[in-house]
């Protein structure tokens, strides 16, 4: 599989997983905030997140059409829910987008209530999780050893919550910093003093696990000894440099989150309460995940002839 | 009534002439790069020197493989549009009018049988020349073989007639998809497996 042909799938999988993660994390934060802050202020943040998730999901689906030879026949893709994980993935995406769209409309029209929000969080969140599960299940083909191992579900789930958390952090920080709406004053303070740090800490932990999984992959690629795995060795080793760069980028993201370490004098560090490190962390970690996903498609190797 | 159509390949007499490959391409008008039947050349070994004498220790044999119309086809399970189906006689066919060209089936098939047709934007594969066998004729590849190395018929009958195996080096484990194929292995196939013989014409078949 040529990596250059895989760009629609790289975009689709990264954007879709980021949307799901952003939905789950932002809705969870809103649910916890609803006990503390007014619904009028939360409404703006909910609309922001749901709108972002909707746009990214639709963009992901649109980009995936570039992978199809006959995109106008795409409606037939739901015909094999019984055995095809690809069919299941698409139905979960449609359900997810539907719930997010309905939730956005309800919030826009100020139709709210704790039960509605909880139901939306559960149904949207579950359908989103099933998207990620379907994604890694469809790649775990018994004939593709480069994909059929522990790293695939691990990295997909970790990337989902890492990128989702980072997108939430960036969008909410940017919006709260720029907005002069008085309804958001209390939320802004609480976000800056507490929740942003919690989201960044979550991202930090997830990044550590991503680095560990990739490091394990790197170590394992040097120890193949069986006949089929011996063929895999050059596949992984040919991409070792990219894997190392990917791990280094993740490490850099980790340092930014932990210490606000940005090697440019133009950007003040975290201690000065400047949020530029939030944007930089997102950029670096997003690039790391895109590189990681590119690597994922580069190690495609099919058993047999 | 045939329950499972299968191909028989006598690898011990296959000369690698590729008449089967050409007959298939000719019948189905396949462009350069698309091969529904592929003839693999497996070779290995080396010349051995003893004192001042060199003695040959090389080996080579051919394996003609198309779609194996597996008993448990991974492509059929994976296809999201149900474009791939299995007839009652076991032939696995692909309906190009339903195919969306997602290439998911291609990722999984261990025999490389699914091939992307750039012109139509859909997948394509060997369909056992079902149009010919439904008329009582032979598949194009079987009738073209000058060595009579190819045959076809009901899988159980072929197994009784020829004995043979459905897994010969370098084919993948038959437990993956249950290929409906009977192969009489070349005498060097066991040696090829032990010495890790390689497919020496990869550029031709991929």
């Amino acid at each position: 599989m040529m990596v250059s042909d895989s760009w629609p799938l790289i975009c689709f999988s990264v954007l879709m997983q980021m949307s799901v993660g952003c939905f789950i994390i932002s809705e969870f934060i809103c649910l916890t905030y609803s006990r503390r802050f007014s619904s009028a202020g939360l409404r703006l943040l909910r609309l922001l997140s749901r709108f972002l998730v909707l746009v990214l999901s639709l963009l992901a689906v649109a980009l995936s059409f570039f992978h199809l030879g006959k995109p106008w026949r795409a409606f037939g893709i739901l015909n094999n829910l019984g055995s095809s994980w690809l069919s299941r993935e698409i139905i979960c995406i449609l359900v997810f987008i539907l719930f997010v769209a309905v939730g956005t409309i309800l919030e826009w029209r100020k139709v709210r209530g704790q039960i509605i929000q909880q139901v939306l969080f559960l149904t949207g969140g579950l359908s989103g999780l099933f998207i990620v599960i379907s994604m890694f299940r469809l790649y775990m083909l018994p004939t593709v050893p480069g994909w059929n191992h522990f790293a695939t579900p691990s990295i997909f789930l970790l990337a989902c919550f890492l990128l989702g958390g980072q997108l939430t952090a960036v969008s909410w920080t940017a919006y709260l910093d720029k907005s002069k709406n008085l309804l958001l004053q209390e939320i802004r303070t609480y976000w800056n003093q507490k929740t942003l740090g919690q989201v960044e800490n979550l991202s930090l932990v997830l990044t550590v696990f991503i680095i560990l999984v990739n490091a394990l992959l790197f170590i394992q690629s040097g120890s193949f000894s069986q006949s089929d795995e011996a063929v895999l060795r050059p596949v992984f080793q040919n991409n070792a440099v990219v894997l190392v760069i990917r791990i280094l980028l993740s490490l850099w993201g980790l340092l930014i989150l932990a210490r606000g370490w940005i090697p440019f004098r133009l950007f003040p560090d975290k201690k000065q309460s400047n949020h530029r490190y939030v944007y930089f962390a997102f950029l670096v970690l997003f690039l790391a995940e895109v590189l990681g996903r590119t690597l994922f498609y580069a190690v495609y190797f099919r058993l047999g002839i | 009534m045939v329950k499972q159509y299968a191909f028989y390949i006598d690898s011990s007499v296959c000369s690698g002439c590729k008449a089967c490959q050409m007959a298939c391409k000719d019948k189905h008008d396949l462009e350069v790069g698309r091969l529904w039947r592929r003839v693999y050349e497996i070779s290995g070994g080396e010349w051995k020197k003893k004192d001042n004498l060199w003695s040959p220790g090389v080996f080579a044999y051919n394996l003609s493989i198309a779609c194996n119309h597996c008993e448990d086809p991974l492509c059929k399970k994976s296809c999201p549009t149900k474009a791939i189906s299995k007839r009652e006689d076991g032939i696995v066919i692909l309906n190009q009018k339903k195919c969306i060209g997602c290439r998911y089936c291609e990722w999984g098939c261990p025999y490389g049988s699914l091939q992307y047709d750039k012109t139509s934007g859909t997948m394509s594969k060997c369909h056992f020349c079902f149009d010919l066998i439904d008329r009582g004729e032979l598949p194009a590849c079987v009738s073209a073989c000058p060595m009579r190395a190819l045959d076809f018929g009901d899988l159980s009958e072929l197994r009784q007639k020829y004995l043979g195996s459905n897994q010969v080096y370098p084919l993948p484990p038959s437990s993956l998809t249950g290929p409906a194929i009977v192969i009489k292995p070349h005498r060097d196939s066991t040696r090829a497996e032990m010495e890790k013989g390689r497919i020496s014409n990869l550029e031709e078949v991929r």
Side-chain angles (χ1 to χ4, degrees), chain A residues 101-142:
Chain A
V102 164
T104 309
I105 292 166
L106 287 176
E107 193 65 48
W108 182 261
R109 298 188 65 82
K110 298 182 187 174
V111 175
R112 48 174 97 100
Q114 195 67 358
I115 307 274
I116 293 175
Q117 303 301 346
Q118 285 171 350
V119 166
L120 191 65
F121 172 63
L122 273 170
T123 48
L126 277 173
S127 57
L129 271 177
F130 279 129
I131 292 172
V132 182
I133 291 169
S134 303
M135 265 187 191
F136 68 68
R137 286 295 282 120
L138 80 88
Y139 283 113
M140 292 177 78
L141 293 161

Side-chain angles (χ1 to χ4, degrees), chain A residues 67 73 80 84 138 143 302, chain B residues 78-79 96 99 102 104 108-109:
Chain A
H67 174 69
R73 286 185 193 163
N80 198 8
S84 172
L138 80 88
T143 49
R302 183 173 49 75
Chain B
S78 311
C79 180
Q96 287 188 299
C99 179
C102 68
Y104 187 34
C109 176

Side-chain angles (χ1 to χ4, degrees), chain A residues 22-283:
Chain A
C22 180
F23 178 82
I24 292 173
I25 289 173
S26 61
E27 289 296 317
F28 179 75
I29 295 172
C30 285
L31 275 175
T32 56
Y33 273 18
S34 61
R35 290 175 204 154
R36 199 184 281 269
F37 303 110
S38 71
S39 53
L42 277 180
R43 175 176 178 267
L44 297 169
L45 290 172
R46 275 203 178 100
L47 280 173
L48 169 68
S49 294
R50 288 174 189 175
F51 181 72
L52 257 179
V53 166
L54 209 50
V55 165
L56 282 174
S57 306
L58 290 170
L59 179 64
V61 170
L63 288 172
S64 72
F65 275 64
F66 284 93
H67 174 69
L68 301 178
K70 292 272 193 217
W72 50 91
R73 286 185 193 163
F75 294 107
I77 210 168
L78 300 176
N79 282 348
N80 198 8
L81 292 169
S83 66
S84 172
W85 281 104
L86 182 50
S87 280
R88 293 166 186 167
E89 179 199 53
I90 302 304
I91 191 97
C92 289
I93 288 173
L94 292 176
V95 168
F96 176 74
I97 290 176
L98 180 69
F99 277 123
V100 176
V102 164
T104 309
I105 292 166
L106 287 176
E107 193 65 48
W108 182 261
R109 298 188 65 82
K110 298 182 187 174
V111 175
R112 48 174 97 100
Q114 195 67 358
I115 307 274
I116 293 175
Q117 303 301 346
Q118 285 171 350
V119 166
L120 191 65
F121 172 63
L122 273 170
T123 48
L126 277 173
S127 57
L129 271 177
F130 279 129
I131 292 172
V132 182
I133 291 169
S134 303
M135 265 187 191
F136 68 68
R137 286 295 282 120
L138 80 88
Y139 283 113
M140 292 177 78
L141 293 161
T143 49
V144 186
W147 290 346
N148 193 24
H149 54 64
F150 75 96
T152 301
S154 311
I155 286 175
F156 276 33
L157 283 166
L158 289 168
C160 167
F161 289 103
L162 171 66
L163 292 178
Q166 283 298 293
L167 181 64
T168 305
V170 157
S171 57
W172 282 33
T173 300
Y175 183 67
L176 288 168
D177 280 352
K178 296 280 185 285
S179 175
K180 291 179 172 43
N181 195 320
L182 291 172
L183 290 169
L184 296 173
Q185 211 168 354
E186 274 189 352
I187 298 175
R188 183 186 301 116
T189 309
Y190 194 77
W191 168 258
N192 286 336
Q193 287 180 352
K194 198 158 181 189
T195 317
L196 176 59
Q198 289 171 335
V199 172
E200 299 291 46
N201 286 342
L202 172 68
S203 299
L204 206 143
V205 170
L206 293 172
T207 308
V208 167
F209 277 108
I210 285 177
I211 292 169
L212 281 172
V213 169
N214 279 284
L216 269 171
L217 264 180
F218 184 69
I219 293 163
Q220 200 177 44
S221 71
S223 64
F224 291 129
S225 57
Q226 299 299 315
S227 58
D228 285 332
E229 289 146 330
V231 181
L232 279 176
R233 191 185 299 123
V235 174
F236 275 94
Q237 288 178 344
N238 284 345
N239 296 286
V241 172
V242 179
L243 180 57
V244 167
I245 294 173
R246 188 254 190 276
I247 293 173
L248 288 174
L249 270 175
S250 293
L251 270 170
W252 189 10
L254 191 70
L255 285 169
I256 296 171
L257 290 170
R259 306 278 299 170
W261 188 71
I262 307 168
F264 297 111
R265 284 178 177 256
L266 293 173
F267 295 99
D269 66 33
K270 222 161 128 176
K271 290 172 190 171
Q272 295 185 10
S273 302
N274 188 301
H275 290 144
R276 283 176 186 170
Y277 83 92
V278 174
Y279 309 123
F280 213 74
F282 171 75
L283 185 65

Side-chain angles (χ1 to χ4, degrees), chain B residues 70-122:
Chain B
C70 301
E71 292 178 289
D72 184 22
L74 192 56
C75 54
K76 177 175 173 282
K77 282 194 282 196
S78 311
C79 180
T81 63
K82 284 195 175 172
I84 299 175
S85 57
K86 196 167 170 71
R87 291 180 7 156
E88 280 181 10
D89 54 11
I91 296 175
V92 178
I93 53 172
L94 191 152
N95 184 346
Q96 287 188 299
K97 289 182 182 165
K98 281 188 180 178
C99 179
I100 58 170
C102 68
R103 304 179 81 159
Y104 187 34
C105 52
E106 185 186 11
W107 292 355
C109 176
Y111 302 100
S113 304
L114 284 308
Q115 311 239 329
Y116 186 64
D117 178 2
K118 285 179 192 164
T119 316
S120 67
T122 59

